[in-house]
Amino acid sequence: MSGDTCLTSLYSSSGAKPKVLGFKGGSTGNKYVRLNVGGSLYYTTVQILTRHDTMLKAMFSGRMEVLTDKEAGWILIDRCGKHFGTVLNYLRDDSIILPKSRREIKELLAEAKYYLIQGLVDVCQTALQEKNECCEVACTIPMITSPKEEEQLIETCTKPVVKLLHNRSNNKYSYTSNSDDNLLKNIELFDKLSLRFNGRVLFMKDVLGDEICCWSFYGQGRKLAEVCCTSIVYATEKKQTKVEFPEARIYEETLNVLLYETPRVPDNLLLEATSRTSGQGSHSEDEEALEVRDRVRRIHVKRYSSYDDRPLGHQAAYRD
């Protein structure tokens, strides 16, 4: 158990510092040890403190000199006591519940290194590495800065690619009343999809192209589909730009590019829906599955073959 009594409470009423006496830890014969770690007070046993081969074991087994308050009887450790309770819990159970924030894990890691508790050091370092990996995966959305960079990313990426081009300032006409809202909805949908399919699809943003709002979908280095969300309307005396939000079509095309994952993982529902009638041949199940997957891929590529030779900034909206 611990308390949060300040170190100053151990001082005498006259304000003078208590006498600090050095002695060998092995001379303490009490079952319980009273520790003052940077002003935080803890009660534990010599058995717990000497369980692992750490600095604490050296301190309380007689190998190192420790400092004690002669009047109050507290053994003094000149470290921050914020995480010392967690250190004791690890010494007791060989496991702990780590803090949630990276900053507190780093603080605990510093204490573990000071007390030479290698097991706790390993636990903290592993947790920090996992948090780094999660953060890196969740935040990797390239921003296109040139057509050459875009081409290289698409050609070298082993995953399908979804790109959103949005450029609100690139327009010589006025916008319809709900165009700004729809542009924001497209951007929000991109963020949601990038979080949901992160790790399976590479999502990219482009703010340099000619389009105002356009989605492009790539698989195995080829452009498969394009959903242009802008059009020109003539309902008024002046031409106006209209931005739409075809959410269902965008979501459908995002699911379609998953067929181009490398290596592709067979989708049992998709294979069942497109499988041939039984008894047509003597192929094994694996060969039959490969045939069906190839047939699905060819149909899918054929469906969007009209976009194969079009430039990346093509303005025509995709329609069936």
Side-chain angles (χ1 to χ4, degrees), residues 234-239:
Y234 301 87
T236 60
E237 295 179 358
K238 296 181 180 181
K239 294 180 181 179

Side-chain angles (χ1 to χ4, degrees), residues 41 44 60 76 86 89 110 127 137 151 233 236 242 246 262 264 290:
L41 308 182
T44 187
F60 292 93
L76 307 178
T86 305
N89 287 336
V137 171
E151 182 180 354
V233 296
T236 60
K242 181 180 182 181
T262 306
R264 295 192 300 275
L290 288 173

Side-chain angles (χ1 to χ4, degrees), residues 159-187:
K159 298 182 290 187
V161 177
V162 174
K163 185 192 75 169
L164 172 62
L165 189 162
H166 60 93
N167 191 348
R168 172 65 172 81
S169 61
N170 183 25
N171 184 41
K172 60 182 178 180
Y173 306 120
S174 62
Y175 286 84
T176 57
S177 59
N178 61 344
S179 290
D180 283 332
D181 288 341
N182 284 339
L183 181 59
L184 289 175
K185 288 179 180 178
N186 278 282
I187 296 174

Side-chain angles (χ1 to χ4, degrees), residues 5 17 29 38 42 51 82 89 102 117 183 194 206 240:
T5 307
K17 291 185 178 180
Y42 295 88
R51 278 192 64 198
K82 178 180 179 180
N89 287 336
R102 286 174 48 84
I117 308 175
L183 181 59
S194 64
D206 186 357
Q240 285 185 306

Side-chain angles (χ1 to χ4, degrees), residues 218-230:
Y218 302 84
Q220 298 177 356
R222 301 178 62 252
K223 191 170 186 178
L224 305 174
E226 183 179 89
V227 179
C228 183
C229 303
T230 56

